[in-house]
Amino acid sequence: MNSAPPQTTSTVTIRPFQYRDLEAVTRIMDTSETGTANSIEATQRLQQLRRWYGLIKCLSLFPNPFQHSLSAYVAEQEGQVCGMVQVSPFNRTRSTWKVDQVWVDRSAIGGQTLAMDVGSQLLRHCFQTIWEARTWIIEVNVNDSETLALYRQNGFQTLAHLTYWELSPELLQELAEREPDLPNLLPVSNADATLLHQLDTVSMPPLIRQVFDRHVTDFKSGIMGSVMRQMRHWMNQSEQVRGYVFESQRKAAIGYYELQLCRHGQRPHNADITVHPAYTWLYPELFTQMAKVVRDFPTQPMRVASTDYQPEREAFLERIGATRMEHTLMMSRSVWHKLRESRFSLDARQLSEVLQGFQPARQPIPGRFSLLESIRPQAAEKTEAQPIDPNSNGATPPENS
């Protein structure tokens, strides 16, 4: 009889990330580097974490906009770090969280199956620890079959398809030669948060809108958040430029763009654009405006993303000659998956336990009509017990002397 292989993953422990784990995590990231946009962004965050760990750790001790910048957990087996997961809140209310990246050292674990088990333990630890998250989202490359299998095994389902485009410096220079037709282009401030929230709401399908769960507060920035954002731009040598198009007749925002510009020329510029579905003619104008802004910075390509529910944007990018760089999947996981993972499910509970909260704590107090209603049945029983003579018009017969 063949014996079953030993389950080495039973000794894996999950704990919060610490500064002494930086070297091991860097080694794991180098072995699993894929060159995708998410992995590059995660590498940049790890470099910032190495440089400013003390400040980020202090900010995680009290409520502030950057309190959850250090939400990371590591998997440890026999004293060696074999995996890490990094998560972050997606909206201001923290009802939706994003899994930024999951790394597992397959060489240390000893196989893909066991690596999947460690990755699942990391994900489930986040699901159980961060109780305020109702929905989880992730973004993964379509060619990363192992990571896709890991997320699908843990309840994630496809939400949208994303395509990352790159506009070359020559293409940006060509777009900047004409003047954009944007008469009502305005700068963004906290007073425009309601307009931007309405634009964001109408520009996406209902399912994605429900998953993102954004509110007006997500488009506002406080004093501390603004200061920390300026410090981050100073450390990264970057600059942020934002603007939106205002429709005076409808009193609504119909277009919005945001540029993350690189000053030292080592990274491409990143663009985020939102257009009202009824005003898709704004795509050429907004891209022309962004090309004119980029012209004043070091010559670098510009990257922008499009989703499968934005066919007009993809058609415009194909028409101007932009290059497809990467295809990813946005996946989501609802909180209702916790019902199957919880120790005490609803099916295992008895009906008496479920209805225990609805039972009265004391005996009910009789009302003021309870005594009268109790007397009436007794009188009716006495009347039915006495025989009635039909010739006596309802009177009772006299007793014989």
Side-chain angles (χ1 to χ4, degrees):
M1 181 175 62
N2 297 330
S3 59
Q7 298 293 332
T8 58
T9 56
S10 58
T11 59
V12 173
T13 58
I14 311 297
R15 59 172 177 81
F17 175 83
Q18 300 177 3
Y19 184 78
R20 59 186 173 90
D21 303 323
L22 280 172
E23 297 297 333
V25 172
T26 303
R27 175 179 51 83
I28 296 174
M29 290 179 59
D30 293 338
T31 57
S32 61
E33 189 67 35
T34 58
T36 61
N38 288 335
S39 61
I40 294 174
E41 183 180 356
T43 304
Q44 296 173 359
R45 286 197 300 266
L46 187 62
Q47 294 175 356
Q48 297 176 5
L49 183 61
R50 181 190 297 272
R51 184 183 306 175
W52 305 99
Y53 179 83
L55 177 60
I56 296 176
K57 185 66 176 178
C58 293
L59 291 175
S60 63
L61 301 178
F62 60 93
N64 62 86
F66 297 91
Q67 181 183 5
H68 301 280
S69 300
L70 197 59
S71 299
Y73 305 92
V74 297
E76 194 174 35
Q77 182 180 15
E78 298 180 357
Q80 299 294 328
V81 176
C82 58
M84 176 182 173
V85 60
Q86 187 174 7
V87 297
S88 59
F90 185 77
N91 52 10
R92 190 69 64 85
T93 58
R94 298 192 297 274
S95 62
T96 301
W97 281 65
K98 181 180 180 181
V99 180
D100 298 320
Q101 198 74 22
V102 178
W103 299 281
V104 178
D105 191 356
R106 294 178 175 85
S107 60
I109 295 299
Q112 180 180 354
T113 304
L114 299 180
M116 290 273 292
D117 192 4
V118 173
S120 298
Q121 291 186 41
L122 286 168
L123 290 174
R124 291 173 183 174
H125 181 80
C126 296
F127 301 156
Q128 298 173 4
T129 303
I130 306 175
W131 57 269
E132 58 188 349
R134 296 201 307 263
T135 310
W136 290 85
I137 62 173
I138 58 98
E139 188 178 347
V140 59
N141 190 281
V142 294
N143 298 320
D144 194 352
S145 58
E146 296 180 0
T147 307
L148 278 173
L150 172 65
Y151 288 137
R152 286 171 176 165
Q153 183 179 353
N154 288 274
F156 285 90
Q157 299 179 356
T158 302
L159 191 63
H161 293 257
L162 283 82
T163 304
Y164 285 88
W165 303 76
E166 186 173 276
L167 283 71
S168 63
E170 295 78 13
L171 180 57
L172 292 173
Q173 185 177 0
E174 181 182 351
L175 290 174
E177 292 179 355
R178 59 180 294 266
E179 289 294 330
D181 185 13
L182 297 173
N184 294 325
L185 183 63
L186 303 176
V188 178
S189 64
N190 284 342
D192 309 314
T194 303
L195 297 177
L196 297 181
H197 174 249
Q198 294 174 354
L199 174 62
D200 184 77
T201 301
V202 76
S203 62
M204 63 182 63
L207 179 59
I208 299 180
R209 185 190 316 143
Q210 181 181 4
V211 170
F212 285 4
D213 193 24
R214 288 173 177 162
H215 302 274
V216 178
T217 55
D218 291 301
F219 299 88
K220 292 183 178 181
S221 58
I223 298 177
M224 186 174 182
S226 301
V227 172
M228 297 300 298
R229 192 175 297 108
Q230 292 297 329
M231 291 182 58
R232 185 169 55 185
H233 290 324
W234 174 75
M235 292 185 297
N236 299 333
Q237 296 185 9
S238 61
E239 185 175 343
Q240 184 185 53
V241 178
R242 299 188 300 168
Y244 77 99
V245 182
F246 180 72
E247 173 62 42
S248 57
Q249 295 182 354
R250 296 179 178 270
K251 305 296 181 182
I254 59 176
Y256 167 82
Y257 78 91
E258 178 180 340
L259 279 171
Q260 300 292 338
L261 302 167
C262 181
R263 294 177 179 175
H264 51 71
Q266 298 179 1
R267 298 190 306 268
H269 309 297
N270 291 321
D272 185 15
I273 182 173
T274 306
V275 174
H276 194 288
Y279 297 89
T280 55
W281 56 267
L282 280 174
Y283 280 118
E285 312 302 330
L286 288 176
F287 273 93
T288 300
Q289 175 65 25
M290 290 189 294
K292 296 181 80 65
V293 175
V294 170
R295 187 174 53 182
D296 300 332
F297 288 82
T299 304
Q300 288 292 327
M302 184 179 71
R303 291 186 178 180
V304 65
S306 65
T307 58
D308 53 357
Y309 56 86
Q310 298 168 334
E312 295 85 2
R313 181 183 304 185
E314 296 190 348
F316 170 75
L317 291 171
E318 288 181 351
R319 187 172 69 252
I320 64 177
T323 306
R324 296 175 184 262
M325 299 301 297
E326 184 184 1
H327 296 276
T328 62
L329 285 180
M330 182 187 298
M331 308 178 73
S332 64
R333 180 188 189 275
S334 175
V335 72
W336 298 111
H337 288 277
K338 292 182 179 180
L339 295 178
R340 292 181 295 181
E341 300 172 359
S342 60
R343 182 178 301 178
F344 302 101
S345 62
L346 292 178
D347 298 336
R349 299 184 65 180
Q350 299 294 331
L351 185 60
S352 59
E353 298 179 0
V354 176
L355 301 179
Q356 186 176 2
F358 297 96
Q359 297 178 358
R362 298 179 301 175
Q363 293 294 332
I365 300 175
R368 54 184 178 180
F369 297 105
S370 300
L371 181 61
L372 180 60
E373 292 177 356
S374 62
I375 294 176
R376 288 178 179 176
Q378 296 179 2
E381 291 177 359
K382 291 181 178 180
T383 304
E384 292 177 358
Q386 295 178 358
I388 300 177
D389 188 2
N391 296 326
S392 59
N393 296 327
T396 57
E399 296 181 356
N400 296 327
S401 57

